[in-house]
Amino acid sequence: MGATARGAPRVVYEATPQGQGTFAAWINESTPLSPVRDGLDLKILLARPEFLPSLIDQTWAQEQQCIDHLRALRSTRPPSAGLSASWEEAAVVLKSRAEIKQLEARIETLQETRSVMATILARDSERRPR
């Protein structure tokens, strides 16, 4: 046990040789592509037309969440910072860039989805007898 900057004792654990081997095997194995499992996407896929107004609102709300998260990510670190530094710093920057690109793609998808839903909703309301 050792003292931290605050003086509180702490325990430092180290991986066993077997644990280090397991970690190395995990790092070296291929990683499959993760499926998209967003709850909103499932709602859109399974919904009937009468749910479109609610889903339009939900896509807008999720878009705003994505924009807020994107703004926060962009403000924390310049996009090129760390790429010529150590691998640990570069890896963090690359992960941040990947997350930014995913959020940008999600925003675009939400906007397109909302546009299609609004078009269908307007078209269907014009067809209804008055």
Side-chain angles (χ1 to χ4, degrees):
M1 270 200 222
T4 64
R6 293 183 289 169
R10 66 182 180 141
V11 177
V12 177
Y13 294 94
E14 292 184 21
T16 63
Q18 180 184 358
Q20 291 172 357
T22 301
F23 178 75
W26 174 73
I27 287 288
N28 288 314
E29 72 185 25
S30 179
T31 304
L33 181 64
S34 296
V36 176
R37 291 191 177 141
D38 185 275
L40 181 55
D41 292 329
L42 292 173
K43 289 178 179 182
I44 290 166
L45 180 64
L46 300 172
R48 296 183 307 273
E50 63 265 23
F51 295 110
L52 291 181
S54 173
L55 292 172
I56 287 170
D57 290 343
Q58 290 179 55
T59 57
W60 184 87
Q62 192 174 92
E63 180 183 343
Q64 297 311 304
Q65 291 172 351
C66 289
I67 289 169
D68 291 344
H69 192 65
L70 190 55
R71 198 173 288 130
L73 277 172
R74 287 180 172 154
S75 70
T76 58
R77 180 185 299 263
S80 61
L83 291 183
S84 61
S86 70
W87 168 245
E88 290 79 8
E89 292 169 331
V92 170
V93 171
L94 292 169
K95 172 63 178 105
S96 179
R97 283 182 170 185
E99 193 171 357
I100 286 169
K101 290 184 182 300
Q102 287 177 328
L103 286 166
E104 289 170 342
R106 182 64 179 166
I107 289 167
E108 184 179 327
T109 299
L110 290 165
Q111 290 170 345
E112 179 184 16
T113 301
R114 192 168 51 255
S115 174
V116 169
M117 290 189 294
T119 300
I120 290 170
L121 196 59
R123 182 196 66 207
D124 289 354
S125 68
E126 290 172 4
R127 290 183 181 171
R128 283 192 204 111
R130 294 175 194 225

